[in-house]
């Protein structure tokens, strides 16, 4: 009896060859293919997840490292600022880093600290020198009163009186100089057109008798010059320059006053001044030579006041030691000056 044929169990021809294929074998093949694809997909998902976690960890670590490296200068700046606030101004950040915004910030902070340190040091020197200058006449006054009045004869009383009056006058000049220096450091409250040639002429006339007493000749080369500023302060500027040139001179010496082309220049003969000392002469209470405590010596504020007044008027002060002795000080006002052939030693 012939075998019964089931419709679902009949061999199916393959598309490629047309030969009959067992359906069971076809199902097994399909199942194996699906299981293999699932296994590959599972391994791919597992590998991708592990790679994603690994990359996330590495990215976080790299971001933490980069953030710390970028923000490290900020921490250094903060630490340095706190240290300087409680210690001194001698420290610097000195950041070693490639050029960038933080490097510029650190360098700017270092420059600011340098300027602050200079200002604080100058202020300390000013206070110490001012205290010394104020203490010296007080000590001399006390000694003169104690010694001179120990045996109060009319002659000694007269000498003590004359000495005390001279010391009192020197103290008044010192205080006036300090007040003027403080006023000019604050700048000008108002400006007006000032005939500097007329101011220089009048000031030179006032000091002519002092120059004759010290046997110092004065030569003038004054041309019309108008500047914007304060007439009283400019008179102090000219007076201090001429007074210093006459006082720190020698018998038979010479003072030259020039006003022309936006320039006020005072040159004098006298003792040789070392060139390295010239810039320090514009600091308060600094002198070219040691204090001699001689009558009319002054407190050493003249050139510092000149520098402060010039700065308030936007002018530039230069000074140089003359080869034959003495000093030349030049004040160059803005808007009219020409290049200086000499290298400036001090700028104001």
């Amino acid at each position: 009896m012939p075998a019964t044929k089931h419709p679902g169990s009949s061999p199916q021809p393959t598309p490629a060859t047309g030969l009959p294929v067992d359906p069971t074998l076809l199902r097994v093949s399909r199942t194996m293919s699906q299981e293999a694809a699932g296994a590959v997909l599972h391994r791919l998902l597992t590998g991708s997840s592990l790679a994603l976690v690994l990359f996330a960890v590495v990215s976080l670590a790299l971001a933490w490292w980069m953030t710390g490296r970028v923000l490290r200068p900020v921490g250094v700046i903060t630490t340095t600022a706190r240290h300087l606030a409680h210690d001194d101004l001698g420290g610097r950040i000195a950041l070693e880093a490639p050029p960038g915004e933080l490097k510029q910030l650190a360098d700017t902070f270092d420059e600011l600290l340098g300027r602050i340190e200079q200002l604080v040091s100058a202020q300390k020197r000013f206070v110490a020198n001012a205290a010394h200058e104020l203490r010296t006449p007080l000590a001399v006054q006390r000694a003169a009163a104690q010694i001179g009045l120990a045996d109060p004869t009319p002659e000694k009383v007269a000498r003590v009186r004359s000495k005390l009056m001279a010391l009192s006058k020197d103290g008044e000049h010192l205080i006036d100089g300090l007040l003027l220096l403080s006023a000019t450091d604050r700048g000008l409250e108002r400006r007006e057109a000032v005939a500097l040639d007329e101011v220089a002429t009048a000031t030179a006339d006032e000091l002519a008798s002092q120059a004759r007493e010290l046997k110092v000749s004065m030569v003038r080369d004054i041309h019309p010059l108008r500047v914007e500023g304060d007439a009283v302060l400019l008179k102090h500027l000219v007076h201090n320059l001429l007074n210093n040139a006459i006082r720190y001179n020698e018998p038979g010496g010479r003072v030259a006053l020039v006003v022309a082309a936006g320039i006020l220049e005072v040159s004098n003969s006298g003792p040789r001044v070392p060139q390295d000392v010239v810039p320090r002469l514009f600091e308060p209470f600094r002198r070219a030579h040691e204090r001699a405590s001689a009558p009319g010596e002054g407190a050493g504020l003249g050139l510092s006041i000149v520098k402060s007044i010039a700065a308030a008027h936007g002018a530039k002060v230069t000074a140089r030691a003359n080869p034959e002795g003495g000093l030349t000080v030049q004040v160059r006002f803005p808007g009219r000056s020409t290049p200086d052939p000499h290298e400036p030693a001090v700028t104001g």
Side-chain angles (χ1 to χ4, degrees):
M1 186 176 177
T4 305
K5 295 182 179 180
H6 298 283
S9 62
S10 60
Q12 300 292 331
T14 61
T17 59
L19 299 177
V21 178
D22 189 353
T24 302
L25 181 60
L26 182 59
R27 286 195 299 270
V28 170
S29 176
R30 289 177 178 175
T31 302
M32 293 180 62
S33 298
Q34 292 175 356
E35 291 180 355
V40 171
L41 181 60
H42 177 72
R43 292 182 60 183
L44 181 62
L45 291 175
T46 302
S48 300
S49 300
L50 292 176
L52 181 61
V53 172
L54 180 61
F55 282 131
V57 173
V58 172
S59 299
L60 290 175
L62 184 61
W64 177 84
W65 179 78
M66 288 296 296
T67 303
R69 185 174 180 83
V70 170
L71 296 180
R72 182 179 64 86
V74 178
V76 173
I77 294 174
T78 304
T79 303
T80 304
R82 289 176 178 174
H83 172 73
L84 294 176
H86 298 285
D87 191 2
D88 55 32
L89 298 175
R92 297 292 183 272
I93 298 175
L95 182 64
E96 297 182 359
E101 287 76 6
L102 291 177
K103 172 66 173 175
Q104 294 178 1
L105 176 62
D107 293 343
T108 303
F109 190 75
D110 285 344
E111 294 176 1
L112 177 62
L113 287 177
R115 291 193 295 270
I116 294 176
E117 184 180 16
Q118 292 178 357
L119 292 175
V120 172
S121 299
Q123 184 182 28
K124 290 181 179 178
R125 290 196 306 268
F126 178 85
V127 173
N129 291 330
H132 175 72
E133 293 290 340
L134 291 171
R135 186 187 300 116
T136 300
L138 293 177
V140 174
Q141 289 179 21
R142 183 174 60 252
Q146 290 175 349
I147 297 174
L149 299 179
D151 184 14
T153 62
E155 293 78 7
K156 287 186 177 181
V157 171
R159 286 198 300 268
V160 171
R161 176 177 177 275
S162 177
K163 183 68 174 178
L164 293 178
M165 290 183 64
L167 291 173
S168 177
K169 185 177 181 180
D170 291 341
E172 290 177 1
H173 288 165
L174 174 58
I175 294 174
D176 290 341
L178 292 174
L179 292 175
L180 180 60
L181 185 61
S182 174
T184 54
D185 284 341
R186 294 196 300 266
L188 299 180
E189 296 181 357
R190 60 184 181 86
R191 292 175 180 269
E192 60 183 4
V194 180
L196 188 60
D197 54 314
E198 297 178 3
V199 173
T201 300
T203 306
D205 291 339
E206 293 176 4
L207 295 174
S209 59
Q210 178 183 344
R212 285 193 299 269
E213 291 176 2
L214 298 177
K215 299 179 181 180
V216 175
S217 62
M218 187 182 302
V219 179
R220 311 178 190 182
D221 183 14
I222 299 178
H223 302 272
L225 174 61
R226 300 182 71 86
V227 298
E228 293 292 327
D230 186 280
V232 176
L233 294 180
L234 289 174
K235 180 177 176 60
H236 280 290
L237 182 146
V238 178
H239 184 276
N240 285 351
L241 287 177
L242 289 177
N243 188 50
N244 279 3
I246 295 172
R247 178 181 299 175
Y248 299 104
N249 213 310
E250 54 191 2
R254 178 175 178 271
V255 173
L257 170 62
V258 179
V259 178
I263 294 174
L264 168 68
E265 182 178 280
V266 176
S267 180
N268 66 283
S269 58
R272 291 184 179 272
V273 180
Q275 185 61 41
D276 58 341
V277 176
V278 173
R280 296 196 295 270
L281 296 180
F282 287 82
E283 298 179 9
F285 306 106
R286 297 302 291 267
R287 302 175 178 86
H289 305 284
E290 294 295 329
R291 183 188 178 105
S293 298
E297 182 183 18
L301 291 174
L303 291 182
S304 61
I305 292 176
V306 168
K307 180 181 178 181
S308 182
I309 294 176
H313 287 78
K316 179 180 179 182
V317 180
T318 59
R320 63 180 182 275
N322 299 326
E324 66 280 2
L327 194 70
T328 296
V329 181
Q330 184 181 96
V331 182
R332 187 182 301 275
F333 291 90
R336 297 171 180 264
S337 59
T338 56
D340 187 0
H342 301 278
E343 183 178 355
V346 177
T347 59

